[in-house]
Amino acid sequence: MLAPQLPEIHIPDSPLAQQAIELIRDCESELLFLHSMRVYAWGALAGRRDGLVFDPELLLVGALFHDLGLVERFRGSTLRFEVDGANAARDFLVSHGVAGAEVDKVWAAIALHTTPGIPQFMHAEAALLHMATGMDVAGRAYDQFTDAERSAVTNAWPRGTDFNQAIIDTFYDGLRHRPDSTFGTFNDDFLAAKDPHFQRVDLCSMILQSPWAR
């Protein structure tokens, strides 16, 4: 696996890290795997730039597992895809003897990585994973990285010319069987964009039609 030519990006090479990389590379599409590696890189760069104290190994596992809930093996799940990924990461870490507090950090970071307004006030691994996923998918914090950093990361783990549409399609494929799980998140945007028959749940209507309104 090509490593970027930036000393600020250190890919952990412990047995746990290598097994996590191999597992996710086998389970995910190339698009999701490369996205996950870029997410780790953006997070590591931002963490070192901002002087945050974080565990690179935990951040790597969080980045690798954060979208695992979108893959074929979870097509029968009715949970939020973030929870599927968080549970899988927890099982992986527990099987490798990682302590409970560290496991909880990774679980929360993955489970909340699509929830705006909360992760940035949590531990560094959660804050960095949230920022880095937004950076890679939607370009949030794009200008906080230098041209050299962006080139190094995308040369090591290419986005490809069709990433923007492909990631939308990937989210849709992973969510269309469980539309109820997208309520209260921006994940319903993927369903609305791809399915003309999808109807968003309206909380105000739910309140006005609740048993309390009878």
Side-chain angles (χ1 to χ4, degrees):
M1 181 173 58
L2 180 64
Q5 299 302 309
L6 281 177
E8 296 88 347
I9 305 176
H10 168 68
I11 308 299
D13 57 1
S14 65
L16 184 149
Q18 291 302 313
Q19 289 176 36
I21 290 172
E22 292 172 7
L23 187 157
I24 298 302
R25 187 157 42 191
D26 289 342
C27 291
E28 290 188 344
S29 64
E30 182 180 34
L31 177 131
L32 281 181
F33 174 72
L34 293 175
H35 161 62
S36 295
M37 292 304 299
R38 291 194 305 273
V39 164
Y40 170 76
W42 304 130
L45 283 169
R48 298 192 186 285
R49 179 192 67 218
D50 297 340
L52 299 181
V53 177
F54 66 96
D55 186 323
E57 195 172 62
L58 297 183
L59 181 61
L60 177 64
V61 171
L64 287 167
F65 280 80
H66 82 279
D67 277 345
L68 186 63
L70 297 173
V71 306
E72 183 67 33
R73 64 184 276 194
F74 294 106
R75 289 296 190 267
S77 174
T78 58
L79 300 176
R80 283 180 56 163
F81 87 91
E82 304 95 328
V83 173
D84 284 327
N87 288 345
R90 178 184 60 200
D91 293 344
F92 173 81
L93 291 170
V94 168
S95 73
H96 285 76
V98 177
E102 281 71 30
V103 173
D104 290 344
K105 278 187 176 183
V106 175
W107 192 96
I110 296 173
L112 293 172
H113 81 270
T114 62
T115 303
I118 294 177
Q120 61 263 45
F121 300 106
M122 297 174 62
H123 48 76
E125 289 81 6
L128 293 172
L129 186 64
H130 173 68
M131 179 283 306
T133 55
M135 164 60 180
D136 202 62
V137 172
R140 292 203 306 268
Y142 183 90
D143 292 334
Q144 295 178 20
F145 297 88
T146 67
D147 291 342
E149 289 171 337
R150 291 193 296 265
S151 294
V153 172
T154 55
N155 284 338
W157 303 291
R159 286 175 62 85
T161 57
D162 63 342
F163 176 81
N164 290 347
Q165 185 60 55
I167 195 67
I168 291 173
D169 294 343
T170 297
F171 269 95
Y172 175 70
D173 288 340
L175 297 172
R176 59 181 173 175
H177 70 282
R178 44 178 160 182
D180 291 347
S181 73
T182 68
F183 173 61
T185 77
F186 57 65
N187 293 322
D188 61 357
D189 288 344
F190 297 107
L191 301 182
K194 298 281 293 181
D195 181 358
H197 302 294
F198 175 69
Q199 293 185 343
R200 300 178 190 267
V201 176
D202 175 16
L203 181 57
C204 291
S205 295
M206 290 179 64
I207 294 171
L208 295 173
Q209 296 170 14
S210 75
W212 295 109
R214 294 172 186 166

